[in-house]
PDB file of all heavy atoms in Angstrom:
ATOM      1  N   PHE A 492       0.130  -1.470 -42.199  1.00 93.00           N
ATOM      2  CA  PHE A 492      -1.188  -1.525 -41.628  1.00 93.00           C
ATOM      3  C   PHE A 492      -2.028  -2.622 -42.060  1.00 93.00           C
ATOM      4  O   PHE A 492      -2.919  -3.133 -41.308  1.00 93.00           O
ATOM      5  CB  PHE A 492      -1.972  -0.198 -41.769  1.00 93.00           C
ATOM      6  CG  PHE A 492      -1.271   0.987 -41.104  1.00 93.00           C
ATOM      7  CD1 PHE A 492      -0.518   1.892 -41.720  1.00 93.00           C
ATOM      8  CD2 PHE A 492      -1.416   1.075 -39.663  1.00 93.00           C
ATOM      9  CE1 PHE A 492       0.180   2.948 -41.033  1.00 93.00           C
ATOM     10  CE2 PHE A 492      -0.715   2.011 -38.919  1.00 93.00           C
ATOM     11  CZ  PHE A 492      -0.020   3.040 -39.694  1.00 93.00           C
ATOM     12  N   THR A 493      -1.787  -3.123 -43.322  1.00 92.00           N
ATOM     13  CA  THR A 493      -2.439  -4.280 -43.738  1.00 92.00           C
ATOM     14  C   THR A 493      -2.127  -5.567 -42.836  1.00 92.00           C
ATOM     15  O   THR A 493      -2.968  -6.231 -42.522  1.00 92.00           O
ATOM     16  CB  THR A 493      -2.158  -4.631 -45.208  1.00 92.00           C
ATOM     17  OG1 THR A 493      -2.470  -3.488 -45.997  1.00 92.00           O
ATOM     18  CG2 THR A 493      -2.837  -5.826 -45.775  1.00 92.00           C
ATOM     19  N   ILE A 494      -0.837  -5.557 -42.580  1.00 93.00           N
ATOM     20  CA  ILE A 494      -0.349  -6.634 -41.651  1.00 93.00           C
ATOM     21  C   ILE A 494      -0.789  -6.374 -40.209  1.00 93.00           C
ATOM     22  O   ILE A 494      -1.282  -7.343 -39.535  1.00 93.00           O
ATOM     23  CB  ILE A 494       1.132  -6.755 -41.681  1.00 93.00           C
ATOM     24  CG1 ILE A 494       1.777  -6.960 -43.107  1.00 93.00           C
ATOM     25  CG2 ILE A 494       1.757  -7.805 -40.664  1.00 93.00           C
ATOM     26  CD1 ILE A 494       3.257  -6.751 -43.281  1.00 93.00           C
ATOM     27  N   PHE A 495      -0.717  -5.209 -39.794  1.00 95.00           N
ATOM     28  CA  PHE A 495      -1.141  -4.800 -38.427  1.00 95.00           C
ATOM     29  C   PHE A 495      -2.564  -5.234 -38.082  1.00 95.00           C
ATOM     30  O   PHE A 495      -2.851  -5.767 -37.039  1.00 95.00           O
ATOM     31  CB  PHE A 495      -0.980  -3.348 -38.180  1.00 95.00           C
ATOM     32  CG  PHE A 495      -0.926  -2.902 -36.834  1.00 95.00           C
ATOM     33  CD1 PHE A 495       0.232  -2.615 -36.091  1.00 95.00           C
ATOM     34  CD2 PHE A 495      -2.107  -2.768 -36.044  1.00 95.00           C
ATOM     35  CE1 PHE A 495       0.240  -2.230 -34.849  1.00 95.00           C
ATOM     36  CE2 PHE A 495      -2.097  -2.404 -34.695  1.00 95.00           C
ATOM     37  CZ  PHE A 495      -0.887  -2.151 -34.094  1.00 95.00           C
ATOM     38  N   LYS A 496      -3.461  -4.993 -39.043  1.00 91.00           N
ATOM     39  CA  LYS A 496      -4.890  -5.301 -38.823  1.00 91.00           C
ATOM     40  C   LYS A 496      -5.096  -6.729 -38.645  1.00 91.00           C
ATOM     41  O   LYS A 496      -6.182  -7.145 -38.012  1.00 91.00           O
ATOM     42  CB  LYS A 496      -5.778  -4.663 -39.858  1.00 91.00           C
ATOM     43  CG  LYS A 496      -5.814  -3.117 -39.804  1.00 91.00           C
ATOM     44  CD  LYS A 496      -6.879  -2.567 -40.830  1.00 91.00           C
ATOM     45  CE  LYS A 496      -6.311  -2.561 -42.157  1.00 91.00           C
ATOM     46  NZ  LYS A 496      -7.243  -1.870 -43.107  1.00 91.00           N
ATOM     47  N   LYS A 497      -4.267  -7.584 -39.048  1.00 91.00           N
ATOM     48  CA  LYS A 497      -4.424  -9.037 -38.976  1.00 91.00           C
ATOM     49  C   LYS A 497      -4.074  -9.569 -37.591  1.00 91.00           C
ATOM     50  O   LYS A 497      -4.556 -10.563 -37.168  1.00 91.00           O
ATOM     51  CB  LYS A 497      -3.654  -9.754 -40.013  1.00 91.00           C
ATOM     52  CG  LYS A 497      -4.098  -9.621 -41.534  1.00 91.00           C
ATOM     53  CD  LYS A 497      -3.236 -10.296 -42.430  1.00 91.00           C
ATOM     54  CE  LYS A 497      -3.771 -10.016 -43.912  1.00 91.00           C
ATOM     55  NZ  LYS A 497      -2.863 -10.687 -44.899  1.00 91.00           N
ATOM     56  N   ARG A 498      -3.171  -8.834 -36.985  1.00 91.00           N
ATOM     57  CA  ARG A 498      -2.665  -9.283 -35.667  1.00 91.00           C
ATOM     58  C   ARG A 498      -2.940  -8.425 -34.467  1.00 91.00           C
ATOM     59  O   ARG A 498      -2.802  -8.766 -33.317  1.00 91.00           O
ATOM     60  CB  ARG A 498      -1.088  -9.422 -35.771  1.00 91.00           C
ATOM     61  CG  ARG A 498      -0.555 -10.466 -36.854  1.00 91.00           C
ATOM     62  CD  ARG A 498      -1.156 -11.803 -36.706  1.00 91.00           C
ATOM     63  NE  ARG A 498      -1.025 -12.398 -35.392  1.00 91.00           N
ATOM     64  CZ  ARG A 498       0.065 -13.164 -35.058  1.00 91.00           C
ATOM     65  NH1 ARG A 498       1.025 -13.389 -35.944  1.00 91.00           N
ATOM     66  NH2 ARG A 498       0.264 -13.679 -33.933  1.00 91.00           N
ATOM     67  N   GLY A 499      -3.367  -7.165 -34.769  1.00 93.00           N
ATOM     68  CA  GLY A 499      -3.576  -6.256 -33.706  1.00 93.00           C
ATOM     69  C   GLY A 499      -4.870  -5.428 -33.839  1.00 93.00           C
ATOM     70  O   GLY A 499      -5.756  -5.770 -34.670  1.00 93.00           O
ATOM     71  N   VAL A 500      -5.002  -4.400 -33.038  1.00 94.00           N
ATOM     72  CA  VAL A 500      -6.231  -3.620 -32.983  1.00 94.00           C
ATOM     73  C   VAL A 500      -5.838  -2.135 -33.457  1.00 94.00           C
ATOM     74  O   VAL A 500      -4.939  -1.516 -32.945  1.00 94.00           O
ATOM     75  CB  VAL A 500      -6.740  -3.515 -31.579  1.00 94.00           C
ATOM     76  CG1 VAL A 500      -7.985  -2.571 -31.464  1.00 94.00           C
ATOM     77  CG2 VAL A 500      -7.192  -4.948 -31.045  1.00 94.00           C
ATOM     78  N   LEU A 501      -6.615  -1.704 -34.470  1.00 94.00           N
ATOM     79  CA  LEU A 501      -6.414  -0.400 -35.021  1.00 94.00           C
ATOM     80  C   LEU A 501      -7.710   0.392 -34.596  1.00 94.00           C
ATOM     81  O   LEU A 501      -8.729   0.071 -35.065  1.00 94.00           O
ATOM     82  CB  LEU A 501      -6.300  -0.442 -36.530  1.00 94.00           C
ATOM     83  CG  LEU A 501      -5.787   0.725 -37.218  1.00 94.00           C
ATOM     84  CD1 LEU A 501      -4.302   1.090 -36.874  1.00 94.00           C
ATOM     85  CD2 LEU A 501      -5.908   0.541 -38.756  1.00 94.00           C
ATOM     86  N   LEU A 502      -7.554   1.321 -33.685  1.00 94.00           N
ATOM     87  CA  LEU A 502      -8.688   1.928 -33.070  1.00 94.00           C
ATOM     88  C   LEU A 502      -8.664   3.504 -33.284  1.00 94.00           C
ATOM     89  O   LEU A 502      -7.757   4.143 -32.746  1.00 94.00           O
ATOM     90  CB  LEU A 502      -8.748   1.662 -31.630  1.00 94.00           C
ATOM     91  CG  LEU A 502      -9.947   2.227 -30.778  1.00 94.00           C
ATOM     92  CD1 LEU A 502     -11.258   1.726 -31.315  1.00 94.00           C
ATOM     93  CD2 LEU A 502      -9.832   1.901 -29.267  1.00 94.00           C
ATOM     94  N   LYS A 503      -9.651   4.014 -34.007  1.00 93.00           N
ATOM     95  CA  LYS A 503      -9.830   5.444 -34.218  1.00 93.00           C
ATOM     96  C   LYS A 503     -10.663   6.052 -33.103  1.00 93.00           C
ATOM     97  O   LYS A 503     -11.769   5.554 -32.919  1.00 93.00           O
ATOM     98  CB  LYS A 503     -10.332   5.630 -35.599  1.00 93.00           C
ATOM     99  CG  LYS A 503     -10.326   7.114 -35.934  1.00 93.00           C
ATOM    100  CD  LYS A 503     -10.825   7.323 -37.368  1.00 93.00           C
ATOM    101  CE  LYS A 503     -10.812   8.738 -37.832  1.00 93.00           C
ATOM    102  NZ  LYS A 503     -11.357   8.919 -39.204  1.00 93.00           N
ATOM    103  N   LEU A 504     -10.220   7.173 -32.641  1.00 92.00           N
ATOM    104  CA  LEU A 504     -10.998   7.824 -31.486  1.00 92.00           C
ATOM    105  C   LEU A 504     -11.087   9.328 -31.838  1.00 92.00           C
ATOM    106  O   LEU A 504     -10.304  10.109 -31.536  1.00 92.00           O
ATOM    107  CB  LEU A 504     -10.320   7.659 -30.122  1.00 92.00           C
ATOM    108  CG  LEU A 504     -10.144   6.174 -29.614  1.00 92.00           C
ATOM    109  CD1 LEU A 504      -9.310   6.105 -28.442  1.00 92.00           C
ATOM    110  CD2 LEU A 504     -11.528   5.625 -29.386  1.00 92.00           C
ATOM    111  N   ASP A 505     -12.163   9.629 -32.587  1.00 88.00           N
ATOM    112  CA  ASP A 505     -12.470  10.949 -32.962  1.00 88.00           C
ATOM    113  C   ASP A 505     -13.571  11.527 -32.077  1.00 88.00           C
ATOM    114  O   ASP A 505     -14.246  10.761 -31.366  1.00 88.00           O
ATOM    115  CB  ASP A 505     -12.941  11.056 -34.403  1.00 88.00           C
ATOM    116  CG  ASP A 505     -11.698  11.085 -35.347  1.00 88.00           C
ATOM    117  OD1 ASP A 505     -10.576  11.381 -34.889  1.00 88.00           O
ATOM    118  OD2 ASP A 505     -11.890  10.775 -36.516  1.00 88.00           O
ATOM    119  N   PRO A 506     -13.728  12.864 -32.029  1.00 86.00           N
ATOM    120  CA  PRO A 506     -14.775  13.423 -31.174  1.00 86.00           C
ATOM    121  C   PRO A 506     -16.236  12.863 -31.467  1.00 86.00           C
ATOM    122  O   PRO A 506     -16.458  12.437 -32.553  1.00 86.00           O
ATOM    123  CB  PRO A 506     -14.790  14.964 -31.450  1.00 86.00           C
ATOM    124  CG  PRO A 506     -13.431  15.154 -31.891  1.00 86.00           C
ATOM    125  CD  PRO A 506     -12.934  13.904 -32.660  1.00 86.00           C
ATOM    126  N   LEU A 507     -16.969  12.654 -30.407  1.00 85.00           N
ATOM    127  CA  LEU A 507     -18.328  12.074 -30.617  1.00 85.00           C
ATOM    128  C   LEU A 507     -19.195  13.034 -31.289  1.00 85.00           C
ATOM    129  O   LEU A 507     -19.149  14.241 -31.045  1.00 85.00           O
ATOM    130  CB  LEU A 507     -18.841  11.665 -29.224  1.00 85.00           C
ATOM    131  CG  LEU A 507     -18.101  10.638 -28.372  1.00 85.00           C
ATOM    132  CD1 LEU A 507     -18.959  10.294 -27.110  1.00 85.00           C
ATOM    133  CD2 LEU A 507     -17.971   9.396 -29.268  1.00 85.00           C
ATOM    134  N   ALA A 508     -20.150  12.557 -32.133  1.00 82.00           N
ATOM    135  CA  ALA A 508     -21.204  13.405 -32.611  1.00 82.00           C
ATOM    136  C   ALA A 508     -22.192  13.738 -31.489  1.00 82.00           C
ATOM    137  O   ALA A 508     -22.278  13.030 -30.472  1.00 82.00           O
ATOM    138  CB  ALA A 508     -21.932  12.660 -33.765  1.00 82.00           C
ATOM    139  N   GLU A 509     -22.847  14.794 -31.703  1.00 78.00           N
ATOM    140  CA  GLU A 509     -23.752  15.341 -30.583  1.00 78.00           C
ATOM    141  C   GLU A 509     -24.737  14.248 -30.202  1.00 78.00           C
ATOM    142  O   GLU A 509     -25.083  14.061 -29.021  1.00 78.00           O
ATOM    143  CB  GLU A 509     -24.460  16.591 -31.038  1.00 78.00           C
ATOM    144  CG  GLU A 509     -23.576  17.843 -30.997  1.00 78.00           C
ATOM    145  CD  GLU A 509     -24.301  19.096 -31.303  1.00 78.00           C
ATOM    146  OE1 GLU A 509     -25.506  19.029 -31.349  1.00 78.00           O
ATOM    147  OE2 GLU A 509     -23.689  20.115 -31.460  1.00 78.00           O
ATOM    148  N   ARG A 510     -25.212  13.466 -31.146  1.00 81.00           N
ATOM    149  CA  ARG A 510     -26.297  12.471 -30.947  1.00 81.00           C
ATOM    150  C   ARG A 510     -25.709  11.295 -30.113  1.00 81.00           C
ATOM    151  O   ARG A 510     -26.535  10.535 -29.444  1.00 81.00           O
ATOM    152  CB  ARG A 510     -26.918  11.990 -32.245  1.00 81.00           C
ATOM    153  CG  ARG A 510     -25.937  11.120 -33.073  1.00 81.00           C
ATOM    154  CD  ARG A 510     -26.647  10.656 -34.362  1.00 81.00           C
ATOM    155  NE  ARG A 510     -25.679   9.930 -35.226  1.00 81.00           N
ATOM    156  CZ  ARG A 510     -24.806  10.447 -36.039  1.00 81.00           C
ATOM    157  NH1 ARG A 510     -24.675  11.781 -36.132  1.00 81.00           N
ATOM    158  NH2 ARG A 510     -24.025   9.703 -36.770  1.00 81.00           N
ATOM    159  N   GLN A 511     -24.373  11.125 -30.039  1.00 86.00           N
ATOM    160  CA  GLN A 511     -23.776  10.040 -29.314  1.00 86.00           C
ATOM    161  C   GLN A 511     -23.516  10.359 -27.818  1.00 86.00           C
ATOM    162  O   GLN A 511     -23.304   9.551 -26.999  1.00 86.00           O
ATOM    163  CB  GLN A 511     -22.381   9.701 -29.969  1.00 86.00           C
ATOM    164  CG  GLN A 511     -22.509   9.106 -31.391  1.00 86.00           C
ATOM    165  CD  GLN A 511     -21.245   8.818 -32.029  1.00 86.00           C
ATOM    166  OE1 GLN A 511     -20.451   9.815 -32.298  1.00 86.00           O
ATOM    167  NE2 GLN A 511     -20.829   7.550 -32.181  1.00 86.00           N
ATOM    168  N   VAL A 512     -23.566  11.726 -27.563  1.00 88.00           N
ATOM    169  CA  VAL A 512     -23.184  12.152 -26.291  1.00 88.00           C
ATOM    170  C   VAL A 512     -23.973  11.588 -25.092  1.00 88.00           C
ATOM    171  O   VAL A 512     -23.495  11.147 -24.025  1.00 88.00           O
ATOM    172  CB  VAL A 512     -23.102  13.716 -26.133  1.00 88.00           C
ATOM    173  CG1 VAL A 512     -22.737  14.167 -24.726  1.00 88.00           C
ATOM    174  CG2 VAL A 512     -22.017  14.174 -27.188  1.00 88.00           C
ATOM    175  N   PRO A 513     -25.406  11.621 -25.239  1.00 90.00           N
ATOM    176  CA  PRO A 513     -26.232  11.035 -24.158  1.00 90.00           C
ATOM    177  C   PRO A 513     -25.803   9.549 -23.847  1.00 90.00           C
ATOM    178  O   PRO A 513     -25.801   9.191 -22.645  1.00 90.00           O
ATOM    179  CB  PRO A 513     -27.621  11.181 -24.727  1.00 90.00           C
ATOM    180  CG  PRO A 513     -27.595  12.329 -25.670  1.00 90.00           C
ATOM    181  CD  PRO A 513     -26.278  12.169 -26.343  1.00 90.00           C
ATOM    182  N   ALA A 514     -25.508   8.830 -24.891  1.00 89.00           N
ATOM    183  CA  ALA A 514     -25.177   7.400 -24.621  1.00 89.00           C
ATOM    184  C   ALA A 514     -23.814   7.335 -23.940  1.00 89.00           C
ATOM    185  O   ALA A 514     -23.581   6.439 -23.051  1.00 89.00           O
ATOM    186  CB  ALA A 514     -25.072   6.615 -25.898  1.00 89.00           C
ATOM    187  N   PHE A 515     -22.962   8.302 -24.152  1.00 91.00           N
ATOM    188  CA  PHE A 515     -21.647   8.397 -23.399  1.00 91.00           C
ATOM    189  C   PHE A 515     -21.956   8.660 -21.990  1.00 91.00           C
ATOM    190  O   PHE A 515     -21.239   8.081 -21.040  1.00 91.00           O
ATOM    191  CB  PHE A 515     -20.700   9.417 -24.016  1.00 91.00           C
ATOM    192  CG  PHE A 515     -19.394   9.509 -23.323  1.00 91.00           C
ATOM    193  CD1 PHE A 515     -18.406   8.649 -23.676  1.00 91.00           C
ATOM    194  CD2 PHE A 515     -19.204  10.455 -22.337  1.00 91.00           C
ATOM    195  CE1 PHE A 515     -17.146   8.767 -22.968  1.00 91.00           C
ATOM    196  CE2 PHE A 515     -17.913  10.535 -21.750  1.00 91.00           C
ATOM    197  CZ  PHE A 515     -16.875   9.742 -22.028  1.00 91.00           C
ATOM    198  N   VAL A 516     -22.865   9.557 -21.672  1.00 93.00           N
ATOM    199  CA  VAL A 516     -23.222   9.942 -20.358  1.00 93.00           C
ATOM    200  C   VAL A 516     -23.766   8.582 -19.623  1.00 93.00           C
ATOM    201  O   VAL A 516     -23.382   8.302 -18.446  1.00 93.00           O
ATOM    202  CB  VAL A 516     -24.367  10.999 -20.285  1.00 93.00           C
ATOM    203  CG1 VAL A 516     -24.832  11.258 -18.885  1.00 93.00           C
ATOM    204  CG2 VAL A 516     -23.774  12.320 -20.863  1.00 93.00           C
ATOM    205  N   LEU A 517     -24.571   7.884 -20.311  1.00 93.00           N
ATOM    206  CA  LEU A 517     -25.134   6.625 -19.708  1.00 93.00           C
ATOM    207  C   LEU A 517     -24.083   5.663 -19.416  1.00 93.00           C
ATOM    208  O   LEU A 517     -24.043   4.915 -18.390  1.00 93.00           O
ATOM    209  CB  LEU A 517     -26.174   5.954 -20.685  1.00 93.00           C
ATOM    210  CG  LEU A 517     -27.521   6.805 -20.890  1.00 93.00           C
ATOM    211  CD1 LEU A 517     -28.282   6.053 -21.907  1.00 93.00           C
ATOM    212  CD2 LEU A 517     -28.216   6.861 -19.478  1.00 93.00           C
TER     213      LEU A 517
END
């Protein structure tokens, strides 16, 4: 993963916090 992060995209997608949901609606 040290090598991976230099050449690629490591993207974590966890559930949104409640305060983030209105912005997701927008």
Side-chain angles (χ1 to χ4, degrees):
F492 291 105
T493 302
I494 302 170
F495 195 100
K496 286 187 285 187
K497 293 178 181 178
R498 303 303 304 271
V500 175
L501 197 64
L502 181 61
K503 185 178 184 181
L504 297 170
D505 278 340
L507 299 182
E509 287 184 8
R510 66 180 180 278
Q511 296 175 293
V512 176
F515 181 83
V516 176
L517 292 174

